[in-house]
Amino acid sequence: MLDEMQTARRQALKLLSSIPLLPLGGASAASLLMSACSGDSDASITGTPTAPVVSFDSASFSPMAAPGISDPAAMGTTSVASSLNVKLSDGTTQSFKLAYQPFFITGDLVPDGKGGKVLSGGYVDINNKPIIDSSVAGLERQFFSDCADGTTLFKLDSTTVPGIKGKAVFAVVQFEYTSNNQAGKSMYGMLPSPIAILTLDQDQATGKLTLVKYHNVDTSPAHMLWITCGASQSPWNTHLSSEEYEPDAFSASADTQFKAFSKNVFGDEAKANPYHYGHLPEVTVNPDGTGSIKKHYCLGRISHELIQVMPDNRTALMGDDASNSGLFIFVADKEKDLSSGSLYVAKVGSGFSIDPAASSGAALTWIKLGSATSAEIEKLANTLKPSDIMSVSYVDPISKNSAATGYTKIYANGSVQWIKINPGMEKAAAFLETHRYASFVGASMVFTKMEGTTVNTKDKIAYSALQNIQGSMVKGDKANNPNDSVALDKALKAGGIMAHTLTGGQKDLGGAAINSEWVPVQTRALIVGEDIVKDALGNTANPDKIANPDNLKFSEKLRTLFIGEDSGQHVNNFVWAYNIDTKVLSRLISMPAGAEATGLVVVDDLNGWTYIMSSFQHPGEWISTMDATAKLLVNPYINTNYKNKFACAVGYLTAETTSIKLSKV
């Protein structure tokens, strides 16, 4: 009898290791699940229990409805009423009712790991001194962010953080910006973006994560950070950050936003160098929960949103959150090292469509922009002025001077421009004026806000989010290049997600081999939103479909694409799960009204646990079409939950203990 019971226990443990096991809010998951799946089963003739032999088969989500005006409390917080259903090979299902657990609300004092407290989301200058909001006399305080964004979650081989009872894991969280000062004036892009490392104590019985240390990364070696948005985990366990909406070097000296940023960072409106921003920062976490940062200057100076490094540890697909954005890849010279390599930009062939039912997509070919090291491009950034690289005109230069020669018409930042590159400055143009140079060499700089990226390794498919499909993608628009093959008849403001087929053996348009087996060669529409006439709540996109997708993450185990929204068309933004096999779309989380869903993380297995993380930013930043009555009802909840709209949450999904059950399908 003992042997059979031990066998049953071993089979149950084997099952536990194969299924997606979400962290619980209470009792031991192992004991609950083993009692559910390894207790008395069908007995043999002798009455001896036989051990079940079952394994993970598939997973699906039971969706939640969008909260409405009848429940303003749900509209004013992170609302979760969805479930994860795991199907086992014996026909049973395991169901987890989901809930949301924040680590902190920004502006909270959290443990610094040394017995003290530190302000979460707090801003500091180049000397790591607090930046003070003194906009209202008598209420002076350190600025803190209401806009948490790119997040990663991983473990190290060894850790030395004291106070860990289970196992130490680390989350790296970046804060994109802060919306307003206390006087109500916009602070967008005027403060240097902070990045924090969270040391989390992982309970091995429940998977619960508890914050034990919050460490601010010193970003001064990287000249501080500019508008950090999405992020991803590298295959070598570092945090790959972003700097979007690169400041225009030709107008930065007169730009109010950039001058304020420079003043807050350096104490001098004129000291910041625009060529130091718009790059890819990388954070390395140390075993003691501290970390260091470096910027990679050789991946192009674009509106970096979210990078995805492929399984080869060398090829990176990059999001480009801009008008007239492009699809870029970077192929590193060495594995696990982004400090040197080659930069490419796509040219889109005929047949581009945003109809998911279209049987074929458009071919992608690649233009090489150049090869470089980070060190050499940083040196150029340190020494060159914009006029050293090129001349830029916003009207046809011949109309001003009939003798003007050497200018090329390009499409950049939502408009037509004319540029002339100075002799010998092609490399500087490629890596410091990447948008302009890519258009100059004939790339398809035609997308609108090409944001999040992720990869489905098994199928060799990458995904890119188009936050909206309008402007430069629409025939006849002033930003649309009529010589490009992307020219839609009608805009789709709700946006969509493109799927790119990946393969090797490719050559660039110059005839040189691209040293990667993960090159996108075809793109097609996977899933799109739907614009609607404003409904009673104020939605201008169908609330039961995605709208303005932004963050993307793919789970290999769940075969599911997770989608976070940055929508000005949904009153509440959502996180969705889209099963790529069944094509079923399920709403998982509703963010507070007016808030963008950010910081999406999906980790299939972290010490045996599956994690889905999401944060949000700027709660209460109402969309213009929102029903006035709904605003009045929801506003008190937003103010109470999130410090009068000055705060946001960083957290993750858990499973309620009471919801675990096994039942026949």
Side-chain angles (χ1 to χ4, degrees), residues 69 626-634:
I69 198 169
M626 184 176 175
D627 176 73
T629 300
K631 287 183 189 178
L632 289 174
L633 291 172
V634 176

Side-chain angles (χ1 to χ4, degrees), residues 127-320:
N127 298 310
N128 289 305
K129 301 296 183 183
I131 301 175
I132 304 301
D133 179 359
S134 55
S135 62
V136 178
L139 296 178
E140 293 81 1
R141 70 184 186 191
Q142 184 180 359
F143 274 109
F144 58 88
S145 179
D146 63 326
C147 292
D149 209 299
T151 302
T152 53
L153 180 69
F154 51 88
K155 63 181 179 179
L156 300 179
D157 290 337
S158 62
T159 57
T160 59
V161 181
I164 300 296
K165 298 176 182 178
K167 291 185 179 179
V169 298
F170 300 96
V172 183
V173 182
Q174 57 197 43
F175 299 91
E176 185 175 359
Y177 61 94
T178 199
S179 296
N180 301 297
N181 62 19
Q182 292 184 88
K185 180 181 176 182
S186 174
M187 294 298 298
Y188 178 77
M190 297 182 180
L191 298 169
S193 297
I195 291 188
I197 297 171
L198 314 183
T199 302
L200 304 167
D201 189 354
Q202 185 191 47
D203 187 313
Q204 296 306 288
T206 66
K208 182 179 180 181
L209 301 175
T210 303
L211 177 64
V212 298
K213 180 178 181 178
Y214 181 108
H215 172 77
N216 281 310
V217 176
D218 178 6
T219 62
S220 60
H223 310 287
M224 312 296 279
L225 303 181
W226 168 269
I227 312 181
T228 56
C229 198
S232 66
Q233 178 183 338
S234 73
W236 51 94
N237 278 347
T238 59
H239 175 93
L240 300 178
S241 181
S242 57
E243 291 184 315
E244 70 174 4
Y245 307 137
E246 78 280 14
D248 190 333
F250 285 87
S251 59
S253 62
D255 183 78
T256 301
Q257 178 194 41
F258 192 70
K259 290 195 297 182
F261 172 84
S262 183
K263 177 73 172 177
N264 284 314
V265 172
F266 300 104
D268 182 343
E269 285 188 347
K271 191 166 184 179
N273 177 353
Y275 283 142
H276 286 156
Y277 307 101
H279 302 286
L280 186 92
E282 181 176 17
V283 175
T284 299
V285 176
N286 299 324
D288 65 354
T290 64
S292 60
I293 192 168
K294 57 185 174 183
K295 274 185 190 174
H296 297 294
Y297 293 83
C298 53
L299 280 81
R301 186 171 168 269
I302 61 175
S303 188
H304 284 285
E305 166 75 16
L306 201 158
I307 188 173
Q308 176 64 55
V309 177
M310 300 299 167
D312 64 354
N313 293 319
R314 296 175 56 250
T315 306
L317 177 68
M318 294 181 279
D320 183 22

Side-chain angles (χ1 to χ4, degrees), residues 545-565:
K545 296 184 178 181
I546 65 169
N548 313 120
D550 186 340
N551 283 200
L552 298 180
K553 288 289 186 284
F554 185 76
S555 167
E556 297 285 342
K557 179 170 281 190
L558 300 178
R559 296 284 293 167
T560 296
L561 179 66
F562 292 86
I563 305 160
E565 294 182 339

Side-chain angles (χ1 to χ4, degrees), residues 7-19 33-34 36-39 41-42 50-58 86-94 662-664:
T7 300
R9 181 177 177 83
R10 284 194 297 270
Q11 292 291 348
L13 289 170
K14 181 179 179 181
L15 169 63
L16 287 176
S17 68
S18 71
I19 66 172
L33 290 176
M34 283 193 291
C37 62
S38 66
S41 58
D42 293 337
T50 58
V53 181
V54 292
S55 60
F56 171 67
D57 180 75
S58 62
V86 176
K87 183 180 178 182
L88 305 178
S89 59
D90 66 350
T92 59
T93 60
Q94 180 186 345
L662 289 180
S663 58
K664 285 287 183 181

